[in-house]
C-alpha cells in the first residue's frame, strides 16, 4: 500500500485560475498550489495578484494581467499558455437590481463578465489545442438563477443559468476530446462582494438563518469542491453542477 497515495493530488498538473485576485478565485489558486499544481493566475489587478502569489505554496507559479472582457487581452493570455490540465473560470461580478430597473445595459455589463468572457476563453483554449487530453474545466456558477430565485437577482441569476447551460453543452461536445467540464453552484459565500450593494448587514444575518447549517460558506468550502473536480478523483464526472450550499436548496 502506498501511504503517499492521494487521488485528490494535483501534482504534475498546470491549472489556470481566472479571477484569482480575491475571494473564491484567490482561495482556489492557493489550494491548488497546496495540492501540488503549477498554477497560472490571472485577473486585472496586478497588486492583488501579487498578494495571491505570496500566499501560494511552491515555486514556478505565474501571473498574467488580463481584462477578460477585452478580446486582445484574452488572445494574449491564451498565447502565453502552453498546455493546461485544469481550468477554473472564476471571474465574475454580482448585480442586485429590481427587475423593473434591469436595462439591457445592465444585462450586458454582467453577461460580458460572467458569461461571455469565460466562454470565449474556453473556446479559444480548445480551438488552439491548449487543453490537454483528460483535462478538467470548472465553471464557478451559483445556486442563484439555477436552483434559487431571489428578488432583485434577475441579471446575476440569468448569467449563472446561462453558465450552467453552456457547461452541459460543452461537456457533451468536449467529451470526445476527453476534456471534462463541470461547475460548482455555491450558495452565499463570505467574500467582499456580498457586502456591497442593496442588501444590508441585518438582512445578510437574517438570511444566514435560512441555511440548515446556519452559516454562509467560506471561499475554502468552494475551493475544496473545485479541487475535487480538477483531480483524478472525479475522472468519471462531467456535465455536473456540484451544489455547495450548506443545505440551502433542500
Amino acid at each position: 500500500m502506498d501511504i503517499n497515495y492521494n487521488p485528490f493530488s494535483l501534482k504534475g498538473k498546470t491549472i489556470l485560475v481566472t479571477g484569482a485576485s480575491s475571494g473564491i478565485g484567490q482561495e482556489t489558486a492557493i489550494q491548488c498550489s497546496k495540492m501540488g499544481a503549477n498554477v497560472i493566475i490571472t485577473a486585472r489587478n496586478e497588486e492583488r495578484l501579487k498578494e495571491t502569489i505570496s500566499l501560494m505554496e511552491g515555486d514556478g507559479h505565474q501571473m498574467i494581467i488580463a481584462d477578460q472582457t477585452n478580446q486582445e487581452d484574452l488572445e494574449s493570455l491564451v498565447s502565453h499558455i502552453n498546455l493546461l490540465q485544469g481550468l477554473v473560470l472564476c471571474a465574475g461580478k454580482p448585480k442586485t437590481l429590481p427587475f423593473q430597473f434591469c436595462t439591457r445595459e445592465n444585462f450586458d455589463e454582467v453577461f460580458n463578465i460572467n458569461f461571455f468572457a469565460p466562454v470565449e476563453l474556453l473556446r479559444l483554449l480548445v480551438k488552439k489545442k491548449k487543453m490537454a487530453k483528460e483535462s478538467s474545466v470548472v465553471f464557478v456558477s451559483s445556486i442563484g438563477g439555477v436552483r434559487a430565485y431571489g428578488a432583485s437577482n434577475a441579471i446575476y441569476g440569468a448569467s449563472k443559468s446561462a453558465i450552467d447551460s453552456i457547461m452541459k453543452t460543452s461537456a457533451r461536445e468536449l467529451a470526445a476530446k476527453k476534456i471534462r467540464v463541470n461547475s460548482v453552484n455555491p450558495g452565499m459565500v463570505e467574500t467582499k462582494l456580498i457586502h456591497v450593494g442593496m442588501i444590508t448587514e441585518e438582512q445578510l444575518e437574517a438570511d444566514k438563518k435560512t441555511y440548515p447549517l446556519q452559516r454562509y460558506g467560506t471561499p475554502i468550502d468552494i475551493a475544496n469542491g473545485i479541487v475535487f473536480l480538477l483531480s483524478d478523483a472525479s475522472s468519471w464526472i462531467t456535465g455536473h453542477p456540484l451544489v455547495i450550499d450548506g443545505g440551502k436548496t433542500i
Side-chain angles (χ1 to χ4, degrees):
M1 179 179 178
D2 184 358
I3 61 172
N4 296 315
Y5 172 69
N6 180 2
F8 303 98
S9 171
L10 301 179
K11 190 174 182 180
K13 297 181 186 292
T14 298
I15 294 171
L16 172 64
V17 181
T18 73
S21 59
S22 64
I24 294 170
Q26 182 182 68
E27 190 61 47
T28 297
I30 294 168
Q31 294 305 314
C32 285
S33 74
K34 289 182 177 180
M35 297 305 291
N38 176 37
V39 187
I40 305 169
I41 60 174
T42 185
R44 293 176 296 180
N45 190 302
E46 181 177 2
E47 183 177 343
R48 281 159 48 184
L49 280 180
K50 286 180 178 178
E51 178 188 352
T52 300
I53 286 279
S54 72
L55 297 170
M56 293 165 64
E57 293 188 5
D59 300 317
H61 306 301
Q62 291 178 260
M63 70 177 201
I64 302 173
I65 312 302
D67 178 353
Q68 291 177 66
T69 63
N70 182 293
Q71 187 69 23
E72 289 184 2
D73 277 15
L74 272 184
E75 292 181 4
S76 176
L77 171 61
V78 171
S79 72
H80 283 86
I81 290 167
N82 183 21
L83 194 65
L84 297 175
Q85 285 76 39
L87 170 64
V88 184
L89 297 161
C90 196
K93 70 174 295 178
K95 192 74 168 182
T96 305
L97 203 63
F99 180 70
Q100 61 182 328
F101 301 114
C102 294
T103 63
R104 174 61 185 268
E105 183 180 9
N106 287 319
F107 270 99
D108 286 346
E109 175 193 357
V110 174
F111 267 74
N112 282 339
I113 297 172
N114 289 8
F115 180 76
F116 291 115
V119 171
E120 177 64 1
L121 176 55
L122 175 58
R123 186 189 73 83
L124 288 173
L125 288 167
V126 171
K127 182 179 180 182
K128 295 180 182 296
K129 297 179 170 45
K130 299 297 181 82
M131 298 301 301
K133 186 178 180 181
E134 299 184 353
S135 56
S136 173
V137 178
V138 183
F139 284 98
V140 176
S141 183
S142 173
I143 62 170
V146 181
R147 290 173 172 79
Y149 304 89
S152 301
N153 200 42
I155 297 177
Y156 179 80
S159 72
K160 293 304 185 179
S161 181
I163 279 292
D164 264 25
S165 177
I166 204 77
M167 176 273 290
K168 289 177 180 290
T169 303
S170 57
R172 187 64 181 264
E173 290 195 26
L174 298 181
K177 301 179 183 291
K178 306 302 181 187
I179 299 172
R180 298 186 296 111
V181 187
N182 296 287
S183 68
V184 290
N185 287 194
M188 287 287 274
V189 178
E190 288 283 3
T191 68
K192 293 177 182 178
L193 292 179
I194 70 170
H195 297 286
V196 296
M198 298 175 57
I199 303 174
T200 67
E201 292 299 317
E202 291 75 17
Q203 288 172 318
L204 288 173
E205 288 302 316
D207 186 55
K208 288 179 185 178
K209 303 301 180 184
T210 67
Y211 282 70
L213 294 183
Q214 297 288 290
R215 70 172 177 89
Y216 285 160
T218 62
I220 196 169
D221 291 323
I222 314 308
N224 285 338
I226 293 170
V227 167
F228 165 66
L229 291 173
L230 291 170
S231 75
D232 293 343
S234 62
S235 63
W236 208 45
I237 299 175
T238 196
H240 179 68
L242 177 61
V243 176
I244 309 174
D245 70 347
K248 175 69 172 179
T249 52
I250 59 173

